[in-house]
Amino acid sequence: MKLLDRYVLRNFLEPFFICFFGFLSIWLVFDLADNGSELIQSHVSAKTIALFYASQLPQIIVISLPVGLLLAVLFSFSTMSRRNEIISMLTAGRSVQRVVLPLIGVGLVTSGFLLWLNYEVAPRAEAIKKVALEQISRGRRPGEIESINGYLFRDRLNGRTWFIRRFRPGNNQLENVHITQQDEAGRITRKWYARAAVYDPRTKTWSLNKGLILDFNEAGDIAKMDNFESEFRIINDWTETPWRISSAQQEAQNLTVPELRAYLDFNNDFPAVQLAPFRTYLQHRFAVPFQCLVLIFIAAPLAIVFSRRGVIGGVAVAMTLYAGLLLSTYLFLALGKGHRLDPALAAWIPNSFFLLIGIILLYLRGSNREIKLPFSK
């Protein structure tokens, strides 16, 4: 790394860490103001509170990191511009694009980091927060999973309908199950009743304990009965898993990338309108992290000015473009979820449009063409 690159990075990193950790501190203060009294009244230990807020960090980092990058780029480059350091670099034979190159590398690194967080860690943070606060308010330990009662699941691919009296998400045992098998014409061919159905993920088999199996003929009469009240039956040709059964009630925004893919694979026979939120969020998980790179391209050329008069205008335009990026991101996300736009387009159009704006601004600044800005005298 050359001396110039190290100098640019050093001027950038200090305000970046101040902005980033400042946003984290502000979030913590506001969240404690909202939930602190409830946590204290529930007599929650300090360790539990620390673990609760640690579980929220990935999601807050995804939100705060792009803002920290934007403000740090604006501050560092505008400061170097006011000191005429940018002009000195250009006079020494460096182009504007070459000066910005180290920060483009930072944008790529931070985008990769957020991509890792957004793949599996961050999506569950909001759901964890809601569940944890609910459990604390009810006097339960955080992390204790509440059971689901009277749950109905329809497997359209295999023609099986599951009714489960009670189960806990994440647990491989279902209590008091009633499973109905239908043929292609919708006729009932078999029913299973069991006190418990246990799934073995290693062998991918189901074990039905203390139950009854009924076979039906074409007329709908019982043709065969198998009572195994004191035994169990092993079934090795069912594709359902406890996660697939429980995922039918999951919300797309709370699922990780592997879970979204599994949901779409298992439920590909669902109507397109019903699958649209899951397809859109799958693309959204990959698109959002690259806002870091987009903001580098937007902020850098607007922060580089060759006179004092353009600083305020550049900062104002950069903040306006960032607000437009956020607004368009959520607007297109809503269009994708509502099946009004292709999921890939809904996720990537905002990034692509504002990246194009950033590239144009960088080109204009690099070719020494004036960028007309508001608020500049």
Side-chain angles (χ1 to χ4, degrees):
M1 183 181 295
K2 295 185 178 181
L3 180 63
L4 175 63
D5 297 332
R6 291 199 297 270
Y7 181 77
V8 171
L9 287 175
R10 186 168 67 249
N11 280 275
F12 162 78
L13 289 176
E14 183 178 351
F16 167 69
F17 285 120
I18 292 174
C19 293
F20 175 63
F21 288 108
F23 274 107
L24 291 182
S25 302
I26 292 171
W27 162 76
L28 181 61
V29 169
F30 275 94
D31 198 86
L32 283 173
D34 288 338
N35 304 311
S37 59
E38 186 175 350
L39 294 173
I40 293 173
Q41 291 173 2
S42 301
H43 304 288
V44 180
S45 66
K47 180 181 178 182
T48 301
I49 294 176
L51 291 174
F52 168 72
Y53 281 107
S55 68
Q56 303 307 302
L57 274 179
Q59 183 193 31
I60 303 305
I61 290 174
V62 171
I63 297 172
S64 302
L65 194 58
V67 185
L69 281 173
L70 174 67
L71 296 181
V73 173
L74 291 173
F75 178 83
S76 59
F77 273 14
S78 62
T79 300
M80 287 191 291
S81 295
R82 287 197 303 270
R83 295 172 181 170
N84 293 323
E85 293 174 348
I86 299 292
I87 294 178
S88 300
M89 295 175 187
L90 299 179
T91 304
R94 294 287 188 257
S95 64
V96 170
Q97 290 85 350
R98 181 62 184 83
V99 174
V100 177
L101 185 60
L103 296 191
I104 294 177
V106 172
L108 289 172
V109 171
T110 51
S111 296
F113 175 64
L114 291 193
L115 185 62
W116 173 74
L117 283 180
N118 220 27
Y119 189 84
E120 202 160 6
V121 181
R124 289 185 175 178
E126 186 63 27
I128 291 174
K129 180 178 181 178
K130 292 179 181 178
V131 172
L133 290 175
E134 212 173 292
Q135 291 171 342
I136 290 172
S137 64
R138 295 181 181 180
R140 299 183 179 181
R141 294 177 300 174
E144 183 180 347
I145 301 175
E146 187 175 357
S147 62
I148 298 176
N149 299 317
Y151 184 72
L152 187 68
F153 170 73
R154 170 66 175 168
D155 182 0
R156 293 178 174 83
L157 292 177
N158 298 299
R160 278 189 291 273
T161 302
W162 295 61
F163 177 77
I164 305 159
R165 180 66 63 185
R166 189 177 70 165
F167 78 101
R168 294 179 183 273
N171 196 320
N172 288 327
Q173 179 170 325
L174 316 179
E175 300 179 18
N176 294 324
V177 298
H178 173 194
I179 306 163
T180 302
Q181 178 71 62
Q182 294 174 287
D183 59 16
E184 295 179 356
R187 292 189 297 266
I188 297 176
T189 59
R190 178 174 288 188
K191 289 185 178 181
W192 295 263
Y193 300 87
R195 296 280 182 87
V198 182
Y199 181 73
D200 187 347
R202 295 173 301 175
T203 59
K204 298 182 179 180
T205 58
W206 284 93
S207 174
L208 302 182
N209 303 331
K210 297 182 179 180
L212 176 69
I213 300 177
L214 299 176
D215 289 329
F216 296 86
N217 56 29
E218 293 184 358
D221 299 324
I222 298 176
K224 183 181 178 182
M225 180 183 301
D226 180 10
N227 191 333
F228 53 99
E229 185 64 29
S230 59
E231 304 174 27
F232 60 89
R233 294 289 183 269
I234 301 295
I235 300 177
N236 53 22
D237 58 349
W238 285 356
T239 59
E240 297 94 324
T241 64
W243 182 88
R244 183 187 174 192
I245 293 172
S246 63
S247 69
Q249 67 164 6
Q250 296 288 342
E251 296 181 357
Q253 62 266 28
N254 296 329
L255 297 180
T256 65
V257 170
E259 290 172 344
L260 286 168
R261 287 173 172 168
Y263 183 95
L264 293 171
D265 287 341
F266 286 131
N267 302 305
N268 57 13
D269 60 322
F270 283 6
V273 175
Q274 188 173 343
L275 294 178
F278 297 89
R279 289 172 175 157
T280 302
Y281 269 103
L282 179 60
Q283 295 293 331
H284 184 69
R285 294 279 181 265
F286 292 102
V288 166
F290 286 96
Q291 289 183 357
C292 293
L293 183 62
V294 173
L295 291 177
I296 296 292
F297 276 92
I298 289 176
L302 291 173
I304 296 175
V305 293
F306 303 125
S307 66
R308 295 176 181 270
R309 296 181 302 175
V311 174
I312 296 178
V315 172
V317 171
M319 298 302 295
T320 302
L321 288 175
Y322 177 59
L325 175 61
L326 289 181
L327 179 63
S328 61
T329 296
Y330 289 108
L331 173 62
F332 279 88
L333 180 64
L335 291 174
K337 289 166 58 180
H339 195 52
R340 298 180 180 273
L341 192 64
D342 182 84
L345 293 177
W348 290 100
I349 280 180
N351 279 1
S352 303
F353 177 73
F354 284 91
L355 179 61
L356 179 61
I357 292 177
I359 291 173
I360 293 173
L361 291 174
L362 188 60
Y363 169 74
L364 293 176
R365 185 61 74 196
S367 59
N368 202 21
R369 298 186 185 182
E370 184 175 349
I371 305 174
K372 295 187 179 296
L373 300 173
F375 309 109
S376 57
K377 300 179 181 179

